[in-house]
Amino acid sequence: MPGGVDAHVHPDEPPLFGKGSTADNYETGMCRIQPSRVLPQVFSGSRSAICGGTTTMVTFAPQKKSEDTLLDTLHATHAKAHDNCYIDYSFHLIIGNPSLNALYEFKTLREEGISSLKIYMTYEALQLNDRQILDVLLEARKQKITTMVHAENGQVVDWITAQLEKRKMFAPKYHCTSHPPMAEIEATYRAISLSEFIDTPILIVHVSTPAAAAHIKQAQDKGLPIYAETCPQYLYLTKKDLDQPGFEGAKCVCSPPPRESEADCDGIWDGLANDTFTILSSDHCPFRYDDDVNGKKTSISEDYPVGHFKYIPNGCPGIETRLALTLSAERLEIKKFVQVTSSNPAKLYGLWPRKGGLVEGESDADINIWYPPGKMQEYFLNNKMLHREVDYTPYEGRKMKQWPRYTILRGQAVWDKENGGLLGKKGYGKFIKRDASSLAGRGIRENGTYCCEGDVYGNEVESSLTVARELEFITESDACPKRASSLVPKVIRAC
Ligand code: DUC
Ligand code: ZN
Ligand code: ZN
């Protein structure tokens, strides 16, 4: 199979999601964020990735609210990654401040091979209001940039958090209470509406709730270019994993949180099977557990002896386990597994056919060789098997049936499970310039109407288009370009 493409990875990030900084860096070096505790020079995000069969990752370059430029952020992130990666990589820009200058820089981002952004509808440090989101979507549309959206209503989360605090409910499990499905469902619907209004594609990241997935599916069935991602934590974890004695539940605090029951996980599996989800990423956001300087335990203090859920850094590790966990579940057809973990992320983020496929003469030779079904001795996952900074896995003790036997990156063997394990070298991984997203959107005719208009779109879409025309952001260059997308919505393919 083609090597894995993980399009949602957070190495070496500053505190943005609660307290704490992510542990895995791009390289093998000392853990930057732990000056008082020198860690062995053996682990890193990209090393961990390659040991689990992921050969390309797209990480984040986070612009802070206080910053006016994106290009400095991009260059600083390049500096962290350069010569430090075991696997090939690119970056999504996180837009914390869509200032005029930042919007102006979108064009340069494209010239520098960056064709995707992420925005947040929650988190004080990152949250954009609807007006700012419209600014981003409009400029992204002009530059053919794909916008990833973290869809949770931040004000709802803050309000419930205050209610819980009044009642002195601080334990990790209240993270779930403070991030209810409603906050995700509402924000998902709003993001879809804003995207439809601007007529530009979005990718809703880390979807956790079947009801949010239903909104996405409905939009897709209308022909709208709404794409979605889910992650292993929503396939395997539930609220019970946060409801553990003491502080233990903090290990599984991420946002959106794992949901109520296994029925929710089943609903997310169904979304993978029925194409609602285009990609399955790890959202590897690696905070150490037993770490009161930068990890999960920063939320413990004298006032909060079992921590305070609102200060627990949000995120779970998972880059190394994403592929093997999913394959071990034996719930997806192999073709679907390859699509959601490799080919589709490559197509969505402008890496195809170089990445995510085995196309003769066009693809890099990035290959995973797995054990034939039933030929690998079953085993129980254990964090000690993994190759990174993080001191736990949320999937400890899970029964596994698969792990990559060999991994090859650009023709070089970089992982041989039975003969030495890691063979890859730091610095072999290269930055990959990305093309315009395959999520370029619907075809629009020169006269401004959709090339697939008709019953499938209905009046609502037509009226948005009229507004779009009035604002003159539909230009000749948008005229039914037979977009080079290999992943356009079904209705478009028909025309
Ligand atoms: N969103 C992410 O994408 N990753 C970690 C935390 C979060 O909220
Ligand atoms: Zn997010
Ligand atoms: Zn993330």
Side-chain angles (χ1 to χ4, degrees):
M1 298 183 204
V5 177
D6 193 341
H8 192 144
V9 185
H10 299 267
D12 204 347
E13 279 188 13
L16 294 168
F17 318 123
K19 284 185 176 179
S21 310
T22 57
D24 284 332
N25 53 21
Y26 285 88
E27 54 154 327
T28 57
M30 309 283 184
C31 189
R32 179 185 65 81
I33 46 100
Q34 293 262 352
S36 58
R37 247 183 278 171
V38 176
L39 292 165
Q41 299 191 35
V42 285
F43 301 122
S44 80
S46 66
R47 176 185 281 193
S48 178
I50 211 156
C51 299
T54 289
T55 46
T56 304
M57 63 180 180
V58 191
T59 66
F60 293 93
Q63 180 212 25
K64 298 197 184 108
K65 271 206 163 134
S66 55
E67 294 166 347
D68 189 39
T69 167
L70 299 171
L71 298 180
D72 288 357
T73 310
L74 174 63
H75 298 145
T77 311
H78 265 298
K80 284 184 190 175
H82 183 67
D83 274 350
N84 284 325
C85 284
Y86 285 77
I87 64 174
D88 289 346
Y89 61 92
S90 179
F91 313 117
H92 311 286
L93 257 290
I94 289 179
I95 310 297
N97 175 17
S99 63
L100 271 183
N101 184 55
L103 295 169
Y104 182 74
E105 288 175 343
F106 282 18
K107 188 168 185 297
T108 315
L109 290 182
R110 288 284 284 107
E111 287 158 11
E112 298 215 7
I114 303 295
S115 55
S116 51
L117 312 169
K118 183 176 177 193
I119 57 172
Y120 286 77
M121 299 168 87
T122 187
Y123 289 126
E124 204 183 337
L126 294 166
Q127 184 172 337
L128 304 189
N129 60 36
D130 291 354
R131 189 181 172 140
Q132 291 172 309
I133 293 173
L134 289 169
D135 280 342
V136 170
L137 292 178
L138 180 55
E139 195 56 33
R141 182 184 191 283
K142 285 188 195 148
Q143 303 301 338
K144 295 193 169 32
I145 284 177
T146 301
T147 305
M148 307 157 80
V149 184
H150 179 130
E152 284 186 290
N153 182 321
Q155 294 198 9
V156 168
V157 171
D158 289 349
W159 185 85
I160 304 174
T161 300
Q163 298 293 322
L164 289 163
E165 284 179 314
K166 260 195 236 161
R167 292 163 179 77
K168 304 209 175 315
M169 297 159 113
F170 303 125
K173 66 179 175 185
Y174 294 116
H175 175 71
C176 295
T177 318
S178 67
H179 289 248
M182 177 274 279
E184 183 184 6
I185 296 163
E186 184 279 332
T188 300
Y189 189 79
R190 185 155 39 103
I192 292 169
S193 307
L194 297 173
S195 148
E196 180 177 5
F197 179 73
I198 297 292
D199 185 39
T200 198
I202 55 169
L203 179 289
I204 308 215
V205 291
H206 46 49
V207 176
S208 69
T209 311
H215 278 312
I216 291 163
K217 176 121 185 50
Q218 201 179 28
Q220 292 168 340
D221 289 346
K222 274 171 77 180
L224 299 178
I226 305 296
Y227 294 88
E229 169 198 81
T230 194
C231 312
Q233 44 274 42
Y234 308 117
L235 299 171
Y236 294 105
L237 304 180
T238 65
K239 193 174 168 182
K240 252 200 226 140
D241 292 289
L242 281 84
D243 189 5
Q244 300 294 323
F247 189 62
E248 196 65 17
K251 290 180 175 173
C252 297
V253 166
C254 58
S255 285
R259 295 302 180 189
E260 197 64 33
S261 69
E262 282 177 16
D264 293 296
C265 299
D266 288 342
I268 298 298
W269 279 108
D270 290 347
L272 279 168
N274 71 19
D275 289 338
T276 304
F277 297 114
T278 312
I279 62 175
L280 175 68
S281 311
S282 67
D283 195 0
H284 178 72
C285 194
F287 297 99
R288 290 170 62 82
Y289 174 69
D290 194 12
D291 178 343
D292 55 13
V293 179
N294 283 292
K296 297 277 185 181
K297 291 195 174 170
T298 48
S299 59
I300 296 181
S301 63
E302 266 180 30
D303 290 343
Y304 305 114
V306 278
H308 183 323
F309 69 87
K310 98 169 170 191
Y311 297 125
I312 300 173
N314 285 202
C316 298
I319 197 169
E320 190 168 346
T321 47
R322 176 185 70 125
L323 297 173
L325 266 177
T326 312
L327 208 51
S328 294
E330 296 179 336
R331 288 181 72 152
L332 293 182
E333 288 181 6
I334 295 296
K335 188 172 163 200
K336 174 73 67 186
F337 170 78
V338 172
Q339 281 171 345
V340 297
T341 59
S342 180
S343 342
N344 285 355
K347 289 173 182 175
L348 294 179
Y349 293 118
L351 290 160
W352 175 270
R354 181 162 174 195
K355 301 295 184 186
L358 298 172
V359 184
E360 196 181 338
E362 295 189 61
S363 300
D364 285 349
D366 299 349
I367 301 168
N368 271 335
I369 298 173
W370 296 86
Y371 289 87
K375 288 285 189 274
M376 189 180 185
Q377 178 81 42
E378 289 184 358
Y379 64 99
F380 295 97
L381 189 64
N382 173 331
N383 193 54
K384 292 202 183 82
M385 299 168 45
L386 305 176
H387 303 78
R388 70 239 183 143
E389 298 282 1
V390 197
D391 53 355
Y392 76 97
T393 166
Y395 310 106
E396 187 75 33
R398 274 190 199 248
K399 194 194 266 185
M400 304 282 285
K401 299 180 173 179
Q402 271 291 4
W403 197 267
R405 170 71 175 88
Y406 302 100
T407 299
I408 295 166
L409 171 56
R410 280 183 272 109
Q412 296 294 315
V414 287
W415 168 253
D416 179 347
K417 186 171 185 318
E418 292 177 18
N419 287 302
L422 179 74
L423 306 175
K425 296 275 178 290
K426 170 181 148 176
Y428 183 63
K430 294 284 172 255
F431 175 72
I432 309 283
K433 275 191 157 193
R434 293 185 286 124
D435 289 332
S437 168
S438 301
L439 291 179
R442 288 174 290 178
I444 299 166
R445 291 201 189 102
E446 261 167 271
N447 65 5
T449 59
Y450 292 116
C451 68
C452 298
E453 71 187 321
D455 293 340
V456 277
Y457 291 111
N459 293 328
E460 206 186 335
V461 174
E462 279 304 299
S463 64
S464 305
L465 189 61
T466 308
V467 177
R469 265 206 305 271
E470 279 170 11
L471 293 174
E472 292 182 335
F473 56 73
I474 292 180
T475 62
E476 286 241 341
S477 64
D478 293 318
C480 200
K482 292 217 168 86
R483 299 170 198 258
S485 172
S486 35
L487 266 183
V488 287
K490 282 177 218 138
V491 237
I492 306 280
R493 266 196 224 117
C495 68

